Amino acid sequence: GAVVSQHPSRVICKSGTSVKIECRSLDFQATTMFWYRQFPKQSLMLMATSNEGSKATYEQGVEKDKFLINHASLTLSTLTVTSAHPEDSSFYICSALSSGTPADTQYFGPGTRLTVL
Amino acid sequence: AQSVTQLDSQVPVFEEAPVELRCNYSSSVSVYLFWYVQYPNQGLQLLLKYLSGSTLVKGINGFEAEFNKSQTSFHLRKPSVHISDTAEYFCAVIPDRGYSSASKIIFGSGTRLSIRP
């Protein structure tokens, strides 16, 4: 089946620095990509939806200036956590979807664990 | 609004024993129901789904789930588990408002299934 990769798988950074997480669809064109965040023992929460070539749509309560999303190509989306703080420490998961397919067929990446010291 | 509750955060089971992972949902509209599995260091994979028709749905790897509308439940079952079933299992719903690529998936908090030899 389709594969979605994320890089890095783990990252530790100092408070105040910015971190970029990449999400790639390896064998299909992803017209839509989703970014989720998962805190320990909690649900995956949708942060934003991005369509290739257009601005991301953020969920209520998600700061767009803090979580910058770029979906510049049909195989790559990036999430940049700007001026990271310890409360941003979490597990970030991306997923990708082909055009015209229903939401449950989105392919998920393995996640990136961010730890902010 | 919709919500998904997975009451058991962890379920330890002996190999070859049966297992049931519980899922209840709350919604003011009809929903589509899903179970996803996440193996260690991998992305979420769709295990099975209920859209309509028979309330008993069968998925991959011998799992099945039954939709019970009166109890708003969608419990996942397997009659005999294997070591390889060790994973995190997520129940999820999509509101029945136009099943499309724009639909938002609402996840439960997950249940970690650990199989003991």
Side-chain angles (χ1 to χ4, degrees):
Chain A
V3 176
V4 173
S5 70
Q6 279 185 244
H7 178 79
S9 57
R10 290 176 178 270
V11 58
I12 300 173
C13 69
K14 292 182 179 179
S15 185
T17 60
S18 294
V19 174
K20 181 184 284 189
I21 302 170
E22 293 186 347
C23 176
R24 292 181 185 273
S25 59
L26 299 184
D27 54 1
F28 69 102
Q29 294 187 326
T31 50
T32 305
M33 285 185 165
F34 304 88
W35 286 96
Y36 296 85
R37 180 167 57 183
Q38 184 183 24
F39 292 107
K41 299 187 190 292
Q42 295 186 31
S43 309
L44 276 75
M45 298 298 295
L46 181 65
M47 298 174 66
T49 303
S50 72
N51 292 296
E52 186 265 339
S54 57
K55 289 185 178 180
T57 302
Y58 289 81
E59 295 299 304
Q60 192 171 12
V62 178
E63 300 174 58
K64 62 178 69 175
D65 293 332
K66 181 167 187 62
F67 299 99
L68 301 179
I69 292 172
N70 184 283
H71 191 169
S73 79
L74 286 171
T75 59
L76 174 65
S77 176
T78 59
L79 167 68
T80 301
V81 183
T82 61
S83 186
H85 291 285
E87 58 266 29
D88 298 324
S89 298
S90 188
F91 196 55
Y92 293 87
I93 299 172
C94 75
S95 68
L97 195 62
S98 295
S99 174
T101 57
D104 63 285
T105 60
Q106 59 190 270
Y107 295 97
F108 289 84
T112 296
R113 186 162 301 284
L114 169 63
T115 302
V116 185
L117 302 176
Chain B
Q2 292 76 33
S3 66
V4 179
T5 302
Q6 292 180 249
L7 288 173
D8 305 307
S9 60
Q10 293 189 63
V11 173
V13 182
F14 286 107
E15 193 172 17
E16 298 184 6
V19 69
E20 178 180 83
L21 305 184
R22 296 180 293 168
C23 172
N24 289 87
Y25 68 92
S26 172
S27 177
S28 57
V29 300
S30 297
V31 296
Y32 301 115
L33 296 144
F34 307 86
W35 275 97
Y36 287 85
V37 59
Q38 184 178 31
Y39 297 106
N41 301 314
Q42 295 185 31
L44 276 75
Q45 302 173 34
L46 184 63
L47 198 57
L48 50 77
K49 61 184 174 184
Y50 172 78
L51 302 182
S52 65
S54 173
T55 56
L56 182 65
V57 292
K58 295 188 184 297
I60 60 173
N61 301 336
F63 283 93
E64 64 181 32
E66 185 157 21
F67 170 51
N68 187 317
K69 188 174 182 179
S70 62
Q71 296 185 7
T72 60
S73 68
F74 191 54
H75 300 332
L76 181 70
R77 301 187 186 99
K78 185 168 182 178
S80 176
V81 295
H82 301 284
I83 294 284
S84 59
D85 293 322
T86 297
E88 187 95 18
Y89 293 81
F90 294 91
C91 183
V93 302
I94 291 179
D96 179 12
R97 281 191 255 101
Y99 178 58
S100 71
S101 58
S103 304
K104 190 184 302 184
I105 301 179
I106 299 161
F107 289 93
S109 55
T111 298
R112 184 171 298 278
L113 177 62
S114 58
I115 311 300
R116 300 169 174 174

